[in-house]
């Protein structure tokens, strides 16, 4: 590959810059050159590698009339019309053959076309992309390049995946061997042969014949650890010695493909299009991505033809969500029960026609076909995987809430008293499970030592005490203050859940309105009970006198609040807002205490718990340990609050106002610390 002279001018401005020249950018360039879309444009390609060796072998299945086959025909090295799996019988795939392209042939083709088009390749590393008023600047090991449009296949070192995401590797070690005698069938490849040591992973051999005497044979591992080269080499050589007898090693291929549920985010810069792995084009459960990259390249070409380059970062291949769900289930199995991989793949290939499997992996099957596929697979690992999936997606809380509520509705049909005791027990459990502990972690939201911790606790308790006294003197003002800060706190936590940081005036107002909508919806859908509780607080009895007027506004206010939240759900298209709406609706059919607890425990506290877990990078067990002393402290305050505020402690209508004041008092400092935690600056 020819390289241009070094960059001397820091002010170099280009129409398009391609950062990296691997599979994805090569396919995009070929596609754009094909329709002369790079003609009369100033282009720079930045790629550190000289691309003189064959570092990868790209394979894919396709119909002979598919554009990928037609357009890349000149570099397709092999076409397999038959397949074997797990040492089984040969199956005919001539309607949808398996094609092989050597990466070196792709690089040679693209570099020849670039040379013809007089487009230079700069042999340097991209270090970072910086945005300025007019241009993006690519800072490289060899100077800076400026442009308004970047095709970026280089993954930033700073990009970290979420700890909840599954990150496995498809790692492999392969040898290209030549035998003295015919050992292979040139048009038959073996996709997966699991008849080898599994070593507590999912491992198989993959055989791609180049002729009847020559083939690339790889040992592949799906697992959370990459296959060690020494181990792979030993195992592969053992197999080759058994299967082939006398052979010569021509070459080796080492590689690793990410198998992850992590989704790379589009670039924050409108003019920067992430490509390849970076554009989530690798299928998590298989590691295949070449065909997707070709489709993506065609899509990019279409957008550029229509001059849609202003929002380059928004170009993406649309994917059906259910396939992501299937991929995640399989990755969970491969992570937690790796031995099951062999059983699942063996069953899949023995029960389904290979063309159906290809369509399934291409995400082109119908739901009926998918049901048929899943029916044929071992059910237990998928059920276990489903539980972990529900846990990871935070669905367990909704399942648990549904079960608890269902039981409540059933019990209340027969006996109201038992139903009440049941609901109080569930609420107390929920409060001690996460409601109070999530607030008992405020000391973790800043760095502290023993001395500063004592100071913190004293200040924290003093604030609670002070607010408690204000409640006694100015209850109405305290109530208003409580509604305002708890609205903000609830709203901020909801916005955090949908990745909106509360840092500007508009987001402050948004947080306030979102939280107020939640709170007011709960209050207004239980207006009579709310008035009774508030009017039971000393000094707030007058609320009862205005009951008629307040009740008149209850329905329009709750409808308005609900529609505002619905608007947020539709506008952001975030499932967590829809889940919130469902919880609020369900709550409307229960009493006030249950409705508030459903929101407070199942949505607010659990969300905050997961925010703390992620941001502090601490697991739940450690969080519980850290929260324990403060949870006990909160419990003591609750008891004191009840004793101070109730005359007949066995009466629930006198307990509820105390509980209300308790929540208000302990949540005042909590709202401040959570805000500082969400916005550390
Ligand atoms: C060994 C192997 C075999 C595979 N086989 C198949 C297959 O058979 N079928 C299939 O569908 N998929 C396959 N894949 C998966 C996928 O198709 C490839 O990983 C594909 O190469 C990804 O394309 P990409 O453009 O994202 O990355 P790459 O092709 O890796 O391109 C990235 C380019 O960026 C360059 N680069 C890196 N750092 C910098 C920097 N700082 N500055 C500038 N340039 C930089 C690299 O040199 C490279 O040329 C395989 C992957 C591997 C690793």
């Amino acid at each position: 590959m020819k390289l241009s002279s070094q960059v001397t001018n820091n002010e170099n401005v280009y129409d398009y810059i391609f950062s990296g020249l691997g599979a994805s950018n090569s396919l995009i360039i070929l596609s754009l050159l094909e329709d002369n879309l790079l003609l009369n444009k100033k282009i720079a390609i930045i790629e550190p590698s000289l691309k003189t060796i064959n570092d990868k072998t790209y394979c894919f299945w396709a119909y002979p009339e598919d554009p990928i086959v037609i357009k890349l025909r000149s570099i397709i090295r092999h076409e397999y019309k038959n397949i074997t799996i797990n040492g089984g019988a040969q199956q005919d795939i001539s309607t949808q053959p398996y094609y092989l392209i050597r990466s070196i042939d792709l690089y040679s083709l693209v570099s020849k076309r670039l040379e013809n088009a007089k487009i230079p390749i700069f042999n340097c590393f991209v270090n970072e992309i910086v945005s300025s008023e007019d241009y993006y600047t690519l800072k490289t090991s060899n100077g800076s390049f400026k442009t308004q449009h970047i095709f970026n296949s280089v993954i930033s070192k700073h990009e970290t995946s979420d700890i909840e995401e599954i990150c496995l590797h498809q790692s492999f070690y392969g040898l290209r061997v030549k035998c003295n005698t015919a050992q292979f069938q040139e048009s038959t490849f073996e996709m997966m042969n699991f008849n080898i040591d599994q070593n507590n992973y999912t491992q198989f051999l993959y055989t791609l014949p180049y002729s009847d005497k020559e083939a690339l044979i790889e040992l592949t591992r799906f697992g959370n650890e990459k296959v060690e080269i020494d181990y792979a080499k030993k195992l592969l050589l053992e197999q080759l010695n058994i299967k082939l007898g006398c052979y010569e090693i021509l070459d080796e291929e080492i590689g690793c493909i990410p198998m992850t549920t992590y989704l790379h985010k589009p670039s924050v810069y409108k003019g920067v299009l992430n490509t390849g792995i970076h554009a989530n084009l690798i299928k998590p459960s298989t590691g295949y991505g070449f065909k997707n990259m070709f489709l993506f390249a065609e899509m990019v070409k279409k957008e550029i033809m229509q001059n849609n380059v202003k929002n380059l970062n928004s170009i993406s291949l649309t994917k059906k969500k259910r396939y992501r769900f299937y991929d995640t289930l399989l990755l969970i199995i491969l992570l937690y029960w790796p031995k099951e991989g062999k059983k699942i793949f063996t069953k899949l290939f023995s029960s389904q026609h290979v063309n159906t499997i290809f369509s399934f992996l291409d995400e082109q099957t119908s739901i009926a076909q998918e049901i048929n596929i899943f029916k044929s697979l071992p059910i237990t690992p998928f059920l276990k995987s489903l539980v972990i999936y529900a846990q990871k997606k935070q669905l367990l809380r909704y399942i648990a809430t549904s079960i608890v509520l269902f039981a409540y509705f059933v019990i209340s049909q027969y006996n109201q008293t038992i139903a009440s005791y049941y609901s109080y027990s569930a609420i107390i459990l929920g409060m001690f499970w996460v409601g109070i502990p999530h607030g008992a972690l405020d000391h973790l939201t800043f760095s502290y030592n023993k001395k500063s911790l004592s100071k913190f606790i004293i200040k924290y308790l003093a604030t609670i005490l002070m607010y408690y006294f204000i409640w006694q003197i100015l209850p109405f003002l305290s109530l208003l203050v409580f509604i305002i800060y708890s609205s903000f706190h609830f709203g901020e936590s909801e916005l955090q859940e949908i990745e909106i940081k509360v840092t500007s005036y508009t987001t402050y107002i948004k947080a306030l309105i979102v939280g107020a909508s939640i709170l007011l919806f709960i209050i207004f859908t239980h207006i009579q009970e709310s008035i009774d509780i508030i009017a039971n607080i000393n000094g707030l009895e007058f609320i009862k006198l205005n009951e008629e007027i307040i009740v008149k506004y209850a329905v329009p206010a709750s409808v308005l609040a609900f529609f505002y939240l619905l608007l947020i759900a539709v506008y952001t298209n975030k499932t967590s807002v829809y889940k919130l709406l469902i919880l609020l609706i369900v709550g409307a059919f229960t009493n006030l205490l249950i409705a508030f607890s459903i929101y407070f425990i199942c949505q607010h506290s659990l969300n905050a718990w997961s925010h703390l877990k992620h941001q502090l990078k601490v697991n739940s067990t450690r969080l519980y340990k850290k929260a324990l002393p403060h949870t006990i402290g909160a419990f003591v305050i609750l008891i004191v609050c009840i004793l101070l505020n109730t005359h007949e402690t066995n009466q629930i209508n006198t307990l509820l106002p105390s509980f209300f004041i308790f929540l208000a008092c302990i949540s005042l400092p909590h709202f401040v610390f959570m805000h500082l935690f969400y916005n550390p600056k």
Side-chain angles (χ1 to χ4, degrees):
M1 189 173 273
K2 256 199 181 166
L3 299 168
S4 92
S5 56
Q6 305 222 320
V7 189
T8 47
N9 181 2
N10 269 1
E11 294 304 306
N12 268 341
V13 177
Y14 293 83
D15 290 308
Y16 300 136
I17 295 181
F18 291 83
S19 162
L21 187 61
S24 56
N25 276 356
S26 294
L27 291 171
I28 294 173
I29 290 168
L30 287 176
S31 187
L32 296 180
L33 282 172
E34 184 192 23
D35 282 76
N36 294 326
L37 293 170
L38 300 183
L39 211 64
N40 303 324
K41 300 259 186 232
K42 196 173 171 198
I43 314 286
I45 319 269
I46 300 168
E47 166 59 58
S49 158
L50 294 177
K51 301 286 184 195
T52 49
I53 53 160
N54 181 54
D55 55 0
K56 287 173 194 134
T57 308
Y58 298 121
C59 290
F60 56 93
W61 52 85
Y63 293 99
E65 62 279 11
D66 281 351
I68 188 170
V69 179
I70 295 168
K71 293 189 182 178
L72 298 179
R73 176 58 79 187
S74 67
I75 51 168
I76 289 178
R77 199 38 106 84
H78 285 277
E79 182 176 332
Y80 302 97
K81 295 199 166 142
N82 298 298
I83 184 175
T84 61
I85 293 151
N86 233 1
Q90 191 170 290
Q91 295 183 55
D92 181 4
I93 50 164
S94 54
T95 52
Q96 200 180 176
Y98 195 63
Y99 297 96
L100 182 153
I101 290 176
R102 294 180 342 133
S103 64
I104 188 70
D105 295 336
L106 176 67
Y107 304 144
S108 305
L109 176 70
V110 75
S111 61
K112 208 157 96 199
R113 300 250 169 110
L114 287 171
E115 217 177 302
N116 291 344
K118 300 199 170 26
I119 295 174
I121 301 167
F122 295 95
N123 183 216
C124 49
F125 285 91
V126 172
N127 293 328
E128 63 174 326
I129 299 173
V130 182
S131 169
S132 56
E133 224 165 81
D134 298 326
Y135 294 107
Y136 302 111
T137 306
L138 262 98
K139 297 197 169 170
T140 77
S141 53
N142 215 357
S144 294
F145 295 75
K146 290 185 179 205
T147 183
Q148 289 183 332
H149 307 108
I150 300 173
F151 298 88
N152 180 34
S153 68
V154 178
I155 297 176
S156 154
K157 285 187 196 103
H158 307 294
E159 196 168 340
T160 52
S161 69
D162 195 303
I163 54 166
E164 288 297 319
E165 299 298 342
I166 300 169
C167 297
L168 298 181
H169 309 284
Q170 179 179 148
S171 53
F172 40 86
Y173 175 80
L175 289 172
R176 189 157 64 88
V177 296
K178 190 166 185 175
C179 305
N180 293 337
T181 54
Q183 294 284 350
F184 310 104
Q185 285 186 32
E186 208 173 331
S187 74
T188 306
F189 80 106
E190 184 160 43
M191 194 167 217
M192 288 174 147
N193 191 330
F194 290 99
N195 297 320
I196 54 161
D197 174 31
Q198 294 295 297
N199 196 19
N200 218 8
Y201 294 99
T202 301
Q203 301 193 144
F204 58 88
L205 290 180
Y206 173 59
T207 306
L208 289 170
Y210 289 168
S211 71
D212 59 355
K213 290 185 187 152
E214 195 182 315
L216 171 70
I217 305 175
E218 285 180 352
L219 170 78
T220 305
R221 172 188 287 179
F222 292 167
N224 58 348
E225 280 174 36
K226 292 180 194 172
V227 66
E228 310 78 20
I229 303 299
D230 288 345
Y231 163 83
K233 198 170 187 172
K234 189 166 165 263
L235 190 64
L236 196 55
L237 288 175
E238 265 171 30
Q239 291 292 321
L240 295 184
N241 292 340
I242 298 167
K243 288 188 174 146
L244 306 179
C246 206
Y247 61 88
E248 175 194 353
I249 295 173
L250 301 178
D251 205 355
E252 67 176 6
E253 186 176 294
I254 301 169
C256 184
I257 309 174
M259 297 176 84
T260 176
T261 54
Y262 175 69
L263 284 178
H264 295 272
K265 296 197 171 59
S267 169
V268 288
Y269 304 132
K270 286 188 173 175
V272 180
L273 175 64
N274 291 335
T275 62
I277 296 180
H278 213 178
N280 306 308
L281 297 175
I282 304 273
K283 185 160 170 76
S285 56
T286 62
Y288 283 97
F290 193 78
K291 207 153 81 169
N292 276 344
M293 288 181 212
F294 179 84
L295 295 173
F296 186 72
E298 294 290 294
M299 182 182 243
V300 170
K301 175 164 79 180
K302 220 163 113 194
E303 294 294 326
I304 290 184
M305 268 177 162
Q306 292 166 359
N307 214 13
N308 292 338
V309 287
K310 279 212 170 106
N311 291 321
L312 212 54
N313 66 343
S314 65
I315 300 175
S316 71
L317 272 191
T318 32
K319 299 254 175 192
K320 290 176 197 144
K321 279 194 176 153
R322 63 178 194 275
Y323 289 99
R324 197 171 147 68
F325 168 64
Y326 306 151
D327 284 339
T328 308
L329 288 188
L330 185 67
L331 292 195
I332 291 173
I333 296 173
L334 295 176
L335 175 66
Y336 291 97
W337 306 282
K339 281 191 205 156
E340 299 288 343
K342 175 178 173 172
K343 283 187 217 156
I344 291 168
F345 286 110
T346 307
K347 198 82 193 68
L348 176 70
F349 284 108
S350 63
S351 62
Q352 301 295 325
H353 191 276
V354 71
N355 282 341
T356 313
I357 297 171
F358 283 169
S359 303
F360 181 58
L361 299 180
D362 275 343
E363 311 192 343
Q364 298 295 336
T365 33
S366 65
I367 301 221
Q369 282 175 306
E370 287 148 32
I371 293 172
N372 198 23
I373 290 172
F374 279 104
K375 248 172 41 193
S376 69
L377 300 178
I379 181 117
T380 322
F382 281 95
L383 287 180
K384 288 196 289 185
S385 171
L386 209 56
V387 174
I388 295 201
Y389 178 86
Q391 194 183 354
K392 281 193 179 291
K393 291 283 159 195
Q394 304 189 4
L395 292 173
L396 280 188
R397 61 166 108 161
Y398 300 104
I399 297 169
T401 311
S402 312
I403 296 170
V404 171
L405 277 174
F406 180 73
Y408 169 76
F409 286 125
V410 172
I411 298 170
S412 58
Q413 293 300 310
Y414 297 98
N415 191 319
Q416 277 298 336
T417 317
I418 297 178
S420 295
Y421 281 117
Y422 167 81
S423 67
Y424 298 145
S425 319
I427 290 166
I428 290 170
L429 276 177
M431 287 303 283
F432 280 95
W433 167 43
V434 72
I436 295 176
H438 97 271
L441 290 165
D442 289 346
H443 62 295
L444 295 186
T445 59
F446 69 102
S447 52
Y448 60 87
N449 54 34
K450 254 189 183 170
K451 202 168 152 202
S452 62
L453 182 63
S454 326
K455 261 191 187 168
F456 161 82
I457 293 173
I458 293 169
K459 278 188 196 165
Y460 202 97
L461 290 176
T463 313
I464 293 175
L465 207 64
M466 193 183 69
Y467 189 36
Y468 177 78
F469 281 116
I470 298 177
W471 263 102
Q472 310 305 313
I473 313 160
L474 299 165
F476 187 61
L477 180 71
S478 301
L479 178 70
L480 284 184
V481 170
F482 172 61
I483 291 177
I484 292 170
Y485 74 73
S486 50
S487 292
F488 177 81
H489 175 55
F490 290 157
E492 181 171 39
S493 164
E494 294 303 327
L495 292 187
Q496 177 78 15
E497 189 63 17
I498 55 174
E499 293 166 20
I500 297 176
K501 286 259 170 214
V502 179
T503 46
S504 60
Y505 286 120
T506 40
T507 46
Y508 269 80
I509 293 169
K510 201 169 182 177
L512 195 66
I513 303 177
V514 168
S517 303
I518 295 168
L519 207 56
L520 294 183
F521 180 83
I522 298 172
I523 291 174
F524 281 117
T525 47
H526 302 87
I527 192 65
Q528 207 64 57
E529 282 174 89
S530 306
I531 292 174
D532 288 346
I533 291 173
I534 295 169
N536 247 313
I537 296 172
N538 282 341
L540 294 178
E541 297 83 357
F542 71 94
I543 301 268
K544 192 88 183 153
L545 304 175
N546 298 297
E547 192 172 349
E548 237 175 75
I549 306 166
I550 301 171
V551 169
K552 228 167 63 183
Y553 290 106
V555 175
S558 38
V559 170
L560 204 69
F562 186 83
F563 274 99
Y564 177 72
L565 293 172
L566 186 64
L567 212 68
I568 300 268
V570 174
Y571 181 69
T572 59
N573 197 21
K574 295 279 182 185
T575 46
S576 79
V577 191
Y578 286 108
K579 287 175 192 158
L580 162 72
L581 287 170
I582 294 171
L583 290 181
L584 291 179
I585 294 172
V586 173
F589 292 95
T590 63
N591 65 36
L592 177 64
L593 182 65
I594 299 179
F596 180 74
S597 305
I598 292 175
Y599 169 70
F600 184 70
I601 297 167
C602 302
Q603 180 81 5
H604 174 74
S605 305
L606 279 167
N607 281 352
W609 188 264
S610 99
H611 301 156
L612 286 158
K613 232 169 82 175
H614 284 102
Q615 215 160 305
L616 298 171
K617 297 200 172 15
V618 176
N619 65 24
S620 285
T621 319
R622 277 198 62 204
L623 278 187
Y624 273 120
K625 278 188 192 157
K626 301 245 176 219
L628 190 63
H630 306 267
T631 306
I632 295 171
F635 182 67
V636 172
I637 298 174
L638 172 64
I639 300 293
V640 172
C641 224
I642 290 171
L643 292 178
L644 288 175
N645 276 275
T646 50
H647 319 293
E648 297 165 64
T649 46
N650 57 344
Q651 289 293 308
I652 194 70
N653 60 343
T654 57
L655 276 176
L656 282 180
S658 309
F659 183 65
F660 184 81
I661 295 175
F662 159 76
L663 265 188
C665 290
I666 63 163
S667 57
L668 176 63
H670 169 64
F671 122 81
V672 177
F673 281 103
M674 282 310 279
H675 176 61
L676 295 176
F677 171 69
Y678 287 140
N679 303 285
K681 274 185 205 157

